[in-house]
Amino acid sequence: MIRFSESAPFSPISYSYEIDNILYKKKSQYQEIIVVENPYFGKIMLLDNVVQVTERDEFFYHEMLTHIAMHTHPNPKNIVVIGGGDGGTVREVLRHDCVERVYFIEIDKEVINTAKEYFPTIAGAVDDLRVLIKPMDGALFVKEVKDIDVLIVDSTDIIGFAESLFSDEFFRAVKGCLTKNGIFVTHTESLHFHKKMVIEMQHRLKGIFPIVDLYTTPLATYPGNWWAFAIASLSLNPRVYSRPCVSGTRYYDSEIHGQCFLTKGFYDKLINNRLDW
Ligand code: SAM
């Protein structure tokens, strides 16, 4: 048995995992892709030595990234998923029968291929006929698409080629490609370890979108564990779901939708920097 210590950017701690087997290791044009097996988490995908997905806890992240925006919208038909090469977000989007088209914009098609081979329960929906896979930078794609109901960013940490997905230019292009009820959601790292970044992202989005909010989910494997999502909308209040919960989710449901946002009091203190922590 060997041990692996993760080197997650921006994190003040490093998680260490037991590894039973290294199942796959390859350098793609963009990053090093590794698949390992851990006795508790099952298979884990690493990109440049950062944990992306584990078989055991992936559903918390994928359901929460996807279903808040998807259930806020009354009838989302055209969806964009940027990043998300493991396929988990696409799987969750397709639980909504109203969906007609999913533009799946993953810069590194090797990540999708690896997920299809080693993570069939996560990547099993990526070949659905409604999914159009485009291996390109999501920041370029948003400039060429229109009439999107929900746009989801499921990227690696905010460094390297993922940085383009967190610029004001990108946020403005996202706003421009959404329909009048359109919603945008992205992860913004951990509220514990990346508080400054979480707050900054809220302020920058507020400069561009009329409605911006923040919700969280507990995760076992991402450093800081209290994971934050920024959600921005052109007209709909993301705290209010407009449809009953789709079937098949394990964590997300209508009650979670109501509870996952920060209280208004805590949110105000947080984004106005009145919390000494
Ligand atoms: N849930 C994971 C997390 O938070 O660590 C992310 C998983 S998913 C595998 C992340 C994917 O984003 C990677 O496969 C990476 O290639 C992709 N990605 C990063 N930057 C991108 C960009 N600018 N355009 C499209 N895909 C991008």
Side-chain angles (χ1 to χ4, degrees), residues 28 30-31 45 47 50-53 61-62 65 81-87 89 105-112 134-140 153-157 159-166 170 187 189 219 222 227:
S28 75
Y30 295 96
Q31 52 213 337
M45 184 193 284
L47 295 179
V50 179
V51 171
Q52 301 296 307
V53 76
Y61 174 83
H62 289 127
L65 175 63
V81 174
I82 295 178
D86 51 68
T89 300
I105 316 302
E106 164 59 62
I107 202 167
D108 189 349
K109 64 179 185 319
E110 287 302 323
V111 177
I112 303 178
K134 284 189 168 228
M136 66 185 283
D137 187 335
L140 298 178
V153 168
D154 181 6
S155 75
T156 34
D157 291 305
I159 52 165
F161 48 84
E163 270 184 276
S164 62
L165 305 177
F166 295 87
F170 174 74
H187 80 82
E189 313 271 344
L219 291 174
Y222 295 163
W227 214 246

Side-chain angles (χ1 to χ4, degrees), residues 16 29 42 66 74 95 99 102 130 140 144 148 160 182 201 211 246 251 272 276:
S16 165
Q29 186 190 339
T66 305
R95 290 192 196 284
V99 169
V102 184
R130 289 167 290 174
L140 298 178
E144 63 181 55
I148 298 304
M201 219 59 84
I211 299 168
V246 290
Y251 182 63
N272 293 313
D276 187 18

